[in-house]
Amino acid sequence: MGPLLLVAAAYYVSGRLGLLLAVPPGYATAVWPPSGFALAGLLHFGYRAWPGVWLGSFGVNMALSGAAADPAAQWTATVIAAVIGLGAAAQAVAGAWLVRRWVGYPTTLAREGEVFRFMLLAGPVSCLVNSTWGVGLLALKGLMPWANVPFNWLTWWVGDTIGVLIFTPLV
């Protein structure tokens, strides 16, 4: 239970800080530290820590949605936060699997090949998961105009990638 709560707390706190850089409608940001903390958590604690990623992401997205007076709107916001959390957890699991399989873990990232594979697989490749999942969900639910999808997808993907590349090695 301790590792789950630690991962959830790291995700939530860094997510609240990361939202200060978000672009409307507030889900995509140029730097998303939680993606790095999520991957680090799964690498360190194992795949069993994925519910902590989900819980942290759910908390951040619930805080982002605010309190709705209409129960139906609150239910929709809760479901969207839960589903985006699944995408964040899936991304962390994918990243952890790719790193373990192709880079090796634990690793000091001391060899050029390790660094290159980590920078490619943990960042740009695994971060395709939640940017596609989250932006797709928001567009399908009508919370984001389809015309904004490419920019928001790119911003989300870049933010997650930068978060992984900076914060995972630090942690």
Side-chain angles (χ1 to χ4, degrees), residues 12-80:
Y12 181 79
V13 170
S14 63
R16 293 294 295 198
L17 294 172
L19 285 175
L20 298 174
L21 304 170
V23 296
Y27 290 92
T29 178
V31 179
W32 189 243
S35 60
F37 286 109
L39 178 55
L42 265 67
L43 286 172
H44 184 72
F45 296 118
Y47 298 114
R48 69 184 182 277
W50 76 264
V53 176
W54 177 86
L55 183 60
S57 175
F58 177 75
V60 168
N61 285 295
M62 284 304 295
L64 180 63
S65 69
D70 176 26
Q74 187 60 48
W75 172 249
T76 299
T78 302
V79 170
I80 287 171

Side-chain angles (χ1 to χ4, degrees), residues 94-119:
W97 183 83
L98 288 167
V99 168
R100 289 180 190 281
R101 173 72 173 94
W102 298 103
V103 179
Y105 187 82
T107 181
T108 58
L109 296 176
R111 293 188 206 107
E112 291 175 13
E114 291 174 343
V115 172
F116 177 75
R117 287 189 306 273
F118 177 84
M119 289 181 67

Side-chain angles (χ1 to χ4, degrees), residues 28 131 135-136 139 144-158:
S131 57
V135 170
M144 175 187 303
W146 284 98
N148 294 0
V149 165
F151 177 75
N152 277 276
W153 180 89
L154 182 63
T155 304
W156 193 317
W157 177 73
V158 167

